[in-house]
Amino acid sequence: MLERFGTLEGVVTAPPAALRRETGVGDAVVAALKVIEAAAVRMARGRIVSKPVIGCWEALVSYSRTRLSFLETEEFHVLYLDKKNRLISDERQGRGTIDHTPVYPREVIKRALELNASAMVLVHNHPSGDPTPSRADVEITEKIVRAAEAVGISVHDHLIIGAQENVSLRAEGLLAL
């Protein structure tokens, strides 16, 4: 399985159907690997819960990579933060195809208001492995930032997670302030 999926992470995060195609892998092995995957995500999340996210940025990136880097389709997540920049909730706002995820700024802001969030970090993956922001990525970020500003919510960053690297739209100067 290491040869086929490349790394231990690749094995643990492989889709169940792909795992079942391997000789000797049945439901019990798939279940065990998925328990390991869930445990890894919980451990990574534990490093950012109840701490200011801005102060543990590497842990936030690590958590996001653990959660999203091996998915075969795009997912767009919003990390909702309180006044002290602690994580309130990590919620998937969209699941799409291999190269697109529909995201609706109205729904992102609606949920932020429901959670009484003061700030957000936007995160999504590029299943192609290349985290280079697309024009659509920049445009949706701008729309969400404008909508958030209108209700007094900050957008700290938009991270794009690739296979080996990630891109911060703030660091690239692409996050409208």
Side-chain angles (χ1 to χ4, degrees):
M1 287 196 305
L2 284 172
E3 283 182 25
R4 172 149 163 64
F5 297 108
T7 63
L8 181 58
E9 283 178 309
V11 172
V12 170
T13 60
L19 291 168
R20 285 188 187 94
R21 287 193 290 270
E22 297 298 309
T23 303
V25 175
D27 289 342
V29 171
V30 170
L33 290 170
K34 293 303 144 188
V35 166
I36 293 168
E37 180 182 17
V41 169
R42 280 187 174 264
M43 287 170 47
R45 181 184 169 104
R47 289 186 220 125
I48 63 170
V49 171
S50 73
K51 298 175 188 163
V53 168
I54 303 306
C56 56
W57 196 251
E58 291 302 317
L60 172 76
V61 171
S62 176
Y63 165 69
S64 298
R65 290 188 58 70
T66 300
R67 178 126 180 173
L68 299 172
S69 68
F70 289 96
L71 298 177
E72 293 181 328
T73 58
E74 272 196 23
E75 285 193 7
F76 191 100
H77 286 240
V78 180
L79 282 67
Y80 294 102
L81 310 175
D82 67 13
K83 276 181 112 49
K84 294 184 178 181
N85 289 315
R86 293 176 303 205
L87 184 66
I88 297 170
S89 185
D90 168 4
E91 298 186 6
R92 184 178 63 220
Q93 284 289 321
R95 176 185 281 162
T97 63
I98 59 168
D99 63 357
H100 175 73
T101 300
V103 179
Y104 304 99
R106 175 187 174 113
E107 296 302 315
V108 171
I109 301 307
K110 176 183 171 188
R111 186 64 179 143
L113 293 170
E114 290 170 352
L115 293 169
N116 202 26
S118 296
M120 299 181 282
V121 175
L122 312 175
V123 184
H124 84 278
N125 65 314
H126 279 180
S128 69
D130 178 5
T132 304
S134 68
R135 182 177 189 167
D137 294 337
V138 174
E139 288 172 358
I140 194 63
T141 303
E142 290 172 351
K143 288 178 183 178
I144 293 170
V145 167
R146 283 194 304 271
E149 284 176 344
V151 293
I153 298 171
S154 301
V155 177
H156 291 316
D157 207 339
H158 182 166
L159 295 175
I160 302 175
I161 306 297
Q164 301 298 323
E165 299 176 358
N166 58 279
V167 170
S168 157
L169 268 63
R170 178 172 298 282
E172 296 294 316
L174 298 172
L175 185 67
L177 296 174

